[in-house]
Amino acid sequence: MKIETRAKFPDFVGFVSGIDLKKDLDDKIVKEIDNAINKLSVLVFKNQNIDDDEQVRFTKYFGEIESSGKTSNITKANDRRLSTDLADVSNLDKNNKPFTKDDPRRIFNLGNRLWHTDSSFKKIPAKYSLLSARNISKEGGNTEFADMRSAYDYLDKQTKDKVKNMVCEHSLIYSRQRLGFDMTKELSSEDIKNFIPVEQPLVRKNNFTKRNTIFLSSHIGKIKDWIRPDSMCFIDDLIEYATQLKFKYIHKWSKDDLIIWDNRQTMHRARAYDDLIENRDMRRTTVLGEEKLI
Ligand SMILES: [Fe+2]
């Protein structure tokens, strides 16, 4: 196995070759991959023609799987296309047909176009996400990743002091409200209960590399002890700053790419494609975080 980086980002995004994810991996290789995720935050594996079981097995090398159920989405159990071990980030219903324009599940999934970290709205937020490209769109559909460790490092001292002990409220409802999703019309009272905001610190430290990172996400709707409009102005400025080109890797997908990213130290967003026509099948497994942060 070989892991290479590119000149622009010596410590962000590794390109992994010489490994077949269909096969069993020994402890040494798993440790090597795990260390590389901690150091590089994003790992790209090309030509991995894996099925769901193989993706789940590979994911479990890095921890417990986060179940993708009613606290992650509004899709009802009997409308699911995939098992709850996988988050369905395609544009497809259970008959493998693209969602129609007004389908609430499509509109809800548009939240993935906003910069976010997966499951930051859960009490124990996600550790790693693994996204497998089973079928890609002809145009568009890139995924962008931003390095929240470099973004932290470049903050001026005044801002570092300001964010040091900051606590933010995260909820799927906050990110969907940004898009004008009509909560009263589209969400049941049970959905709303499932998406109650949780508090997370804005600054985290990676215990392996000891680097600080900004735990930022469009799921943030409020800073603790701040009013919401002030919170939103501050968070939006920070997201704009943290996602500028110098912190950002843009991935143009090929079929059978698999990417692992570390949600503790990156943000990501999906880019647009013709989702009413194209059939884009992307399947995500998620490694549960190890601790409640507050
Ligand atoms: Fe995501």
Side-chain angles (χ1 to χ4, degrees), residues 89 111-112 114 116-119 129 131 143 219 261 263 268-270 284:
V89 284
N112 291 325
L114 305 175
H116 66 283
T117 54
D118 290 333
S119 301
S129 291
L131 189 57
T143 302
H219 300 312
W261 67 87
N263 288 295
H268 62 280
R269 66 172 176 177
R284 195 189 85 208

Side-chain angles (χ1 to χ4, degrees), residues 240-269:
E240 190 179 323
Y241 154 81
T243 55
Q244 54 188 299
L245 204 53
K246 69 177 173 182
F247 302 132
K248 189 164 87 168
Y249 165 69
I250 300 170
H251 187 75
K252 187 171 168 40
W253 291 92
S254 300
K255 187 177 177 306
D256 297 334
D257 284 353
L258 179 126
I259 297 189
I260 309 182
W261 67 87
D262 188 339
N263 288 295
R264 301 167 306 173
Q265 42 195 17
T266 55
M267 272 203 295
H268 62 280
R269 66 172 176 177

